Amino acid sequence: MVLPTQNVPGRLLCHLLPKNRHVCCLSAESHALERDPGSLFLTYEVLALKKSLTLDTQVVEREKMKSYIYVHGVSLDKRENHGFAYEARKELHKAVRKVLAASAKIFRSPFADPFSTVDVEDHECAVWLLLRKSRSGDRTARLEAVQEMSGAHHWQDYQYRIIAQACDPRTLIGLARSKESDLRFFLPPPPLPSLKEDSSIEEELRQLLASLPQTDLDECIQYFTALALNESSQSLAAQKGGLWCFGGNGLPYAESFGEVPSATVEMFCLEAMVKHSEISTHCDKIEANGGLQLLQRLYRLHKDCPKVQRNILRVVGNMALNEHLHAAIVRSGWVSLMAEALKSHHIMEASHAARTLANLDRETVQEKYQDGVYVLHPQCRTSQPIKADVLFIHGLMGAAFKTWRQQDSERAVSEEALEDEDRYTTCWPKTWLARDCPALRIISVEYDTSLSDWRARCPTERKSIAFRSTELLRKLRAAGVGDRPVIWVSHSMGGLLVKKMLVEASKKPEMSTVINNTRGMIFYSVPHHGSHLAEYSVNVRYLLFPSLEVKELSKDSPALKTLQDDFLEFAKDKNFQVLNFVETLPTYIGSMIKLHIVPVESADLGIGDVIPVDVNHLNICKPKRKDAFLYQRTLQFIRETLAKDLEN
């Protein structure tokens, strides 16, 4: 409680801890009486102090749960520093210093052995003891502390703020990865530095990209980095008074980028920066040149642009792979933003945040999730033992999330259905499968489809199935795939990647665990023997798949035949369980083209059952409902194949 005292030089205003709600009020009248001896002075002082101590106001109720101290300094006028009032002030200052010393001891070394509940209020003991426990040398104790903090939903607001200000980065990351954590555990990100004078976000993003090394990159990445820098230079020149207003060299740029050139240029720069961030030394440059703050500014600015946010989160997630950058990521406030994003109902935002936080969490996560590898379940810390992995590999024109959504309904989905994930889901492995098999780690893989769009203009050749499989196998092994029993689930050309990965892994001793722990495979319309797609015109092929992969899809493709033969030879002495689904309906592309992309005979691997389903190629991996045959048969296969592993 703070009582105002006016016109009193050198006044002392004390606010002690709630147990001792003493308020000291030394008035001007006491100074006058101090000069007159007699009992009148003593009586006045006692009455004055009694009045100040027994005063009851609403301020007491508002302040009673707080533990801070306000002290106004003593006047430097020596004429006031004598007599009874001076001695009283000295004693009160001693009391205040004692309280301040106790608080300082708690904040300076709150977890030392001498710490006791005498130092803090009863209602604060739990907070400080949990903080002490979170810094224990015992890992189990630390995990318990974070779990208890995340389960606290009855605290006062300031208690959450105490944790937010006093916890170490390891605890903060643990809270961010805890499903039930209150967002008040996380301080707002620090203020962002001001933009340079006469500069823009787009210009600073370009300067950041230009500062990165152009070495150790494949030819396509170098090409697109140069393209992004060139386009952003034209945009900046246009904005500063030439090209945009008066045509000339800027006119083609205006025609190609439409009405919002800056957003498009930012996308070009971010696409290139994603690839730069896959190189550790380039991540160091991004951090040193203020990239974390600039990306955060873009992230806030483009809250309603998922594509921009996706690439920003990819860059930060890649930077989090480097443990020496963890402190900088925490200091910049990204953990607070990720904690909020992890609670998002948008699967893209939540999954990217989950990847970044998992890469930061070295307390409970040994694996590292590289770009394009996303854990759909569990995305938070869990006490549920994980006993097996299920991997989802989409086709080349698919994506980690949208490929595995529920089949689109002809009728608009109601808001109530959207809220009930059993009725509608944007990613059935994340919702339905995770709920039915909580002991699984569910991973979905994504290729860089945006970069594939760029590669249509890249002068170098596109990636082959062999190249993609090698790259993907390396990333999955870094994520710990092979350490547990595995089931591979794939759609279309993703199944060819799975086969190629397993054949290649069988030739490498360091990948033996991947082979030994593979239990089974589910193929959704995989063209094991080629596709009719390659028989259509060049324009149609280009619409669906990159040209190199289309060549490999031809029925007379040597690469496809070799892959099929190699896989059958590899699998003949293995006890793999295999399930093949295949479409029976054609797929409409636009309003004019109708294709039966994978016929039944091509979807027959030669191992396992082949099940025709009356859907088209796009919907073969998208169940209509949770009780639909497609999902229930998939669930049955996973449970039966992993039965022994899930029981252990």
Side-chain angles (χ1 to χ4, degrees):
M1 180 173 67
V2 179
L3 293 178
T5 58
Q6 300 177 351
N7 303 321
V8 182
R11 65 183 179 272
L12 175 65
L13 198 58
C14 306
H15 175 198
L16 302 183
L17 290 171
K19 273 188 178 178
N20 305 301
R21 298 190 185 104
H22 305 309
V23 178
C24 310
C25 183
L26 301 179
S27 63
E29 289 80 3
S30 67
H31 291 288
L33 288 169
E34 184 181 350
R35 302 184 182 91
D36 300 324
S39 61
L40 179 60
F41 168 76
L42 183 59
T43 303
Y44 176 84
E45 288 290 336
V46 170
L47 291 174
L49 286 173
K50 180 180 179 183
K51 182 179 180 181
S52 67
L53 288 170
T54 57
L55 183 62
D56 184 19
T57 70
Q58 292 182 353
V59 177
V60 176
E61 295 302 317
R62 290 198 302 267
E63 301 290 308
K64 66 181 180 180
M65 293 298 288
K66 298 182 179 179
S67 303
Y68 48 75
I69 302 169
Y70 296 112
V71 178
H72 290 235
V74 177
S75 172
L76 297 178
D77 189 348
K78 292 184 178 180
R79 292 174 299 179
E80 299 178 12
N81 297 338
H82 55 82
F84 182 85
Y86 171 63
E87 293 299 323
R89 276 199 300 270
K90 282 178 60 179
E91 292 302 317
L92 288 167
H93 269 286
K94 287 180 183 179
V96 169
R97 281 197 296 271
K98 183 177 179 182
V99 174
L100 287 173
S103 298
K105 183 179 74 173
I106 295 171
F107 279 96
R108 184 173 60 250
S109 183
F111 315 111
D113 290 337
F115 171 79
S116 71
T117 57
V118 175
D119 297 314
V120 294
E121 286 296 303
D122 290 340
H123 59 269
E124 292 181 1
C125 285
V127 174
W128 287 104
L129 289 174
L130 280 176
L131 279 168
R132 177 182 183 178
K133 190 175 181 180
S134 71
R135 293 193 179 183
S136 168
D138 180 16
R139 177 178 174 274
T140 302
R142 295 195 300 268
L143 296 179
E144 288 176 354
V146 172
Q147 188 175 3
E148 290 178 46
M149 289 179 190
S150 65
H153 303 295
H154 58 280
W155 285 356
Q156 297 291 325
D157 182 77
Y158 81 96
Q159 291 174 297
Y160 293 103
R161 300 305 182 187
I162 288 176
I163 298 288
Q165 296 180 69
C167 72
D168 60 4
R170 180 172 56 194
T171 303
L172 184 69
I173 293 166
L175 287 169
R177 292 198 70 231
S178 299
K179 187 175 182 179
E180 301 299 327
S181 286
D182 194 297
L183 289 178
R184 287 175 289 179
F185 281 123
F186 309 98
L187 296 174
L192 296 172
S194 302
L195 292 174
K196 297 174 184 176
E197 188 175 352
D198 195 28
S199 181
S200 65
I201 295 180
E202 179 188 335
E203 187 170 0
E204 294 205 1
L205 185 62
R206 177 188 178 276
Q207 291 173 357
L208 176 61
L209 181 60
S211 71
L212 302 179
Q214 300 302 308
T215 57
D216 298 326
L217 299 173
D218 65 38
E219 293 179 8
C220 270
I221 303 306
Q222 293 183 28
Y223 172 80
F224 290 123
T225 301
L227 180 64
L229 293 176
N230 179 59
E231 296 289 10
S232 59
S233 297
Q234 291 189 41
S235 172
L236 292 169
Q239 292 174 18
K240 291 186 176 180
L243 305 176
W244 193 260
C245 297
F246 301 103
N249 293 332
L251 187 57
Y253 177 85
E255 292 175 344
S256 63
F257 283 98
E259 298 178 357
V260 193
S262 61
T264 307
V265 171
E266 287 168 2
M267 280 298 297
F268 267 80
C269 292
L270 287 171
E271 289 279 6
M273 200 170 296
V274 166
K275 304 308 293 183
H276 279 280
S277 66
E278 293 180 356
I279 303 171
S280 178
T281 54
H282 293 211
C283 288
D284 295 342
K285 282 279 188 181
I286 293 173
E287 190 277 324
N289 294 336
L292 287 169
Q293 289 75 20
L294 181 59
L295 290 171
Q296 193 175 124
R297 189 184 298 277
L298 274 171
Y299 183 79
R300 295 178 182 180
L301 182 65
H302 293 287
K303 266 293 187 184
D304 298 323
C305 185
K307 288 185 178 180
V308 171
Q309 286 205 319
R310 170 181 175 267
N311 283 323
I312 292 172
L313 293 174
R314 287 174 69 190
V315 174
V316 179
N318 288 344
M319 294 180 71
L321 291 166
N322 304 281
E323 294 186 33
H324 65 280
L325 294 178
H326 286 188
I329 294 173
V330 172
R331 284 197 306 271
S332 63
W334 272 107
V335 174
S336 300
L337 296 175
M338 294 296 172
E340 183 178 359
L342 186 60
K343 297 181 182 296
S344 171
H345 294 296
H346 299 287
I347 185 172
M348 184 278 292
E349 185 178 8
S351 297
H352 279 278
R355 172 185 169 242
T356 301
L357 290 171
N359 286 336
L360 290 172
D361 187 7
R362 297 299 89 190
E363 180 85 334
T364 63
V365 182
Q366 285 72 49
E367 303 85 4
K368 291 191 174 182
Y369 298 99
Q370 299 186 27
D371 189 35
V373 180
Y374 302 100
V375 176
L376 301 180
H377 173 81
Q379 292 190 334
C380 301
R381 285 188 178 182
T382 177
S383 57
Q384 168 71 54
I386 301 301
K387 298 181 179 180
D389 291 338
V390 177
L391 275 61
F392 287 81
I393 318 291
H394 66 75
L396 286 176
M397 300 306 292
F401 314 121
K402 72 177 184 180
T403 292
W404 311 106
R405 68 185 184 274
Q406 185 172 347
Q407 183 174 329
D408 300 326
S409 174
E410 295 179 0
R411 293 177 295 179
V413 181
S414 67
E415 290 186 9
E416 291 182 2
L418 287 173
E419 293 177 0
D420 183 358
E421 291 179 336
D422 283 340
R423 295 173 60 189
Y424 185 83
T425 177
T426 55
C427 185
W428 59 264
K430 181 179 184 295
T431 52
W432 298 348
L433 184 58
R435 194 171 301 165
D436 289 332
C437 300
L440 298 179
R441 180 177 66 156
I442 303 172
I443 291 178
S444 187
V445 171
E446 182 164 276
Y447 319 146
D448 200 342
T449 53
S450 294
L451 194 59
S452 294
D453 292 338
W454 278 12
R455 287 180 184 273
R457 294 179 291 165
C458 181
T460 62
E461 195 175 40
R462 296 182 179 219
K463 293 180 179 179
S464 65
I465 290 176
F467 183 93
R468 289 182 185 275
S469 65
T470 301
E471 184 180 48
L472 185 54
L473 182 61
R474 173 182 57 81
K475 290 183 176 182
L476 290 176
R477 190 68 195 100
V481 172
D483 294 340
R484 306 182 185 91
V486 182
I487 287 181
W488 305 78
V489 182
S490 57
H491 173 237
S492 190
M493 291 182 68
L496 303 181
L497 287 175
V498 170
K499 290 163 61 178
K500 186 66 175 176
M501 279 190 287
L502 292 174
V503 169
E504 292 302 312
S506 68
K507 302 174 183 177
K508 301 176 181 179
E510 67 273 19
M511 295 290 180
S512 60
T513 57
V514 175
I515 303 302
N516 295 337
N517 275 319
T518 292
R519 298 288 189 267
M521 285 152 273
I522 299 176
F523 296 110
Y524 291 103
S525 286
V526 173
H528 300 292
H529 304 283
S531 170
H532 292 314
L533 179 68
E535 300 172 6
Y536 288 81
S537 69
V538 173
N539 290 334
V540 174
R541 291 187 312 212
Y542 182 78
L543 180 64
L544 288 178
F545 299 104
S547 60
L548 179 59
E549 284 79 4
V550 169
K551 292 176 183 177
E552 293 181 329
L553 266 181
S554 301
K555 290 186 177 181
D556 57 354
S557 166
L560 191 63
K561 187 177 187 309
T562 300
L563 175 58
Q564 175 67 5
D565 293 342
D566 289 348
F567 184 80
L568 291 178
E569 179 65 24
F570 151 75
K572 68 180 182 181
D573 58 344
K574 306 292 190 301
N575 189 28
F576 295 147
Q577 301 300 308
V578 177
L579 181 62
N580 302 280
F581 292 102
V582 60
E583 76 229 37
T584 61
L585 301 181
T587 301
Y588 286 86
I589 302 172
S591 58
M592 302 293 293
I593 303 171
K594 183 171 70 172
L595 298 176
H596 195 162
I597 296 175
V598 180
V600 174
E601 60 271 17
S602 182
D604 186 357
L605 175 63
I607 306 173
D609 296 334
V610 179
I611 302 178
V613 184
D614 291 334
V615 293
N616 63 29
H617 187 70
L618 298 179
N619 289 332
I620 189 67
C621 56
K622 300 177 180 63
K624 280 189 175 182
R625 299 178 305 277
K626 189 176 180 181
D627 60 358
F629 171 77
L630 261 176
Y631 175 70
Q632 290 299 321
R633 184 67 183 89
T634 298
L635 177 62
Q636 178 187 356
F637 177 87
I638 292 173
R639 282 175 167 168
E640 290 177 353
T641 304
L642 295 174
K644 292 182 179 179
D645 301 299
L646 295 178
E647 287 174 2
N648 295 336

